[in-house]
DNA sequence: AAATTATTGCAACCGAGTCGCAATAAAGAT
DNA sequence: ATCTTTATTGCGACTCGGTTGCAATAATTT
């Protein structure tokens, strides 16, 4: 199995794009942890590691990584973009607490089946499948009951 | 079963808010069709019907309607908000064509089961569950193959 | 009818994300 | 190794969806 860097380099070559230290630094940072991230967080993490880079370049790199399937968008409905790396990971869905923001990742084999079903039923070529469940975790649920 | 207007009036009364023609016009327009909509579309539709209203009030009303569960956000990942009315409708998910934007709505009984399962497994009180599947419809899929 | 205060419209504002451009630097050709 | 081509970067200006402060208005309560 190729590394994410190899995937990137291959994609760049195939599309007449160039390999740059900026792109590789960003990609490395994205795959350094399993955390979900937004542009500001990523920018900060890079700054802290001494990588000098502009936000414009980060935005541009993220679009590139989306195109080659290394990352995907995660919808937090909070007005700006969040992402996570997906290359090398099983597809998963998110259960998020509206109180504290905790995120539980879970896999659902039914989703894979559903994709096949949808593809067949509606003659669609499925590209992505995002399931986001929201609610209150045990702790936040209790706090909430009291205040009602 | 109560009408959406009754739901709204009840919510307003319970929260010390006021019933206004603006809010009722907006709500009526939202439930006039089954279309998904964004703020601009809704604003235009209201203008065309001669309802004079500011966009600020639409934004404020939509937040209100979200709070009382009359509408929900729909994620199109295109940089601005989309909504649909949900009161009086079964929960459904979306299959959207990345080429032409066509939207197929479908129900998946497994999702309901999954919610119960998640609630039990992780002690979460589930509030919402959004499934968005993206891909290419038969037509757009063919057009796409040619251009590759 | 008067008093209270939520709501509206407007316009100024905010901020995430984009874009044009000049400087830089990859990659290929010689 | 140097030259040429052109993709990429950083910067700052810009866009535009969405928010907010405020004075005027109007829904409710008394
Ligand atoms: Mn995740
Ligand atoms: Mn729908
Ligand atoms: Zn919580
Ligand atoms: Zn299509």
């Amino acid at each position: 199995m190729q590394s994410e860097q190899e995937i990137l380099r291959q994609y760049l070559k195939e599309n007449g794009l160039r390999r740059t230290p900026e792109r590789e630094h960003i990609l490395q940072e994205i795959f350094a942890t399993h955390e979900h991230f937004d542009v500001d967080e990523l920018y900060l993490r890079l700054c802290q590691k001494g990588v000098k880079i502009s936000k414009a370049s980060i935005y541009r790199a993220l679009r590139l990584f989306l195109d080659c399937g290394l990352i995907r968008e995660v919808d937090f409905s909070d007005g700006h973009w969040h992402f996570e790396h997906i290359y090398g990971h099983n597809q998963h869905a998110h259960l998020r607490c509206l109180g504290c923001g905790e995120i539980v990742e879970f896999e659902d084999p039914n989703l894979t089946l559903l994709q096949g079903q949808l593809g067949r039923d509606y003659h669609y070529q499925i590209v992505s499948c995002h399931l986001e469940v929201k609610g209150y975790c045990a702790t936040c649920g209790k706090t909430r009951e009291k205040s009602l």
Side-chain angles (χ1 to χ4, degrees), chain A:
Chain A
M1 180 168 162
Q2 297 179 89
S3 72
E4 56 273 7
Q5 297 284 350
E6 285 165 341
I7 295 284
L8 174 61
R9 289 178 190 178
Q10 187 177 323
Y11 181 90
L12 293 173
K13 182 154 272 178
E14 283 170 359
N15 292 80
L17 304 173
R18 290 175 187 174
R19 179 179 159 185
T20 71
E22 286 82 1
R23 285 172 175 159
E24 304 207 327
H25 279 132
I26 298 171
L27 188 61
Q28 187 181 27
E29 189 56 44
I30 289 175
F31 278 81
T33 80
H34 276 310
E35 306 279 319
H36 299 153
F37 62 93
D38 63 24
V39 170
D40 281 347
E41 285 159 9
L42 183 56
Y43 177 69
L44 225 73
R45 279 165 54 193
L46 285 163
C47 287
Q48 283 165 355
K49 300 212 169 158
V51 177
K52 184 109 178 61
I53 205 160
S54 73
K55 279 192 190 169
S57 294
I58 294 184
Y59 279 108
R60 289 188 274 231
L62 291 178
R63 236 186 305 175
L64 180 66
F65 300 163
L66 283 171
D67 288 345
C68 45
L70 288 166
I71 65 174
R72 72 166 181 177
E73 240 179 288
V74 178
D75 175 30
F76 283 1
S77 306
D78 69 344
H80 66 283
W81 297 353
H82 294 254
F83 306 87
E84 67 182 350
H85 65 242
I86 49 174
Y87 179 67
H89 292 272
N90 289 333
Q91 163 163 350
H92 64 271
H94 296 133
L95 171 59
R96 201 160 58 86
C97 176
L98 294 166
C100 61
E102 179 191 62
I103 294 171
V104 177
E105 301 194 329
F106 64 94
E107 292 184 38
D108 178 9
N110 282 320
L111 276 190
T112 318
L113 299 177
L114 176 67
Q115 285 182 54
Q117 195 67 45
L118 288 172
R120 261 171 276 126
D121 288 357
Y122 301 105
H123 303 289
Y124 262 67
Q125 177 191 338
I126 308 297
V127 171
S128 72
C129 180
H130 287 219
L131 174 62
E132 297 281 330
V133 186
K134 291 169 198 164
Y136 290 92
C137 72
T139 315
C140 294
K142 278 185 195 128
T143 315
R144 218 154 148 268
E145 273 170 27
K146 284 184 212 153
S147 68
L148 288 183

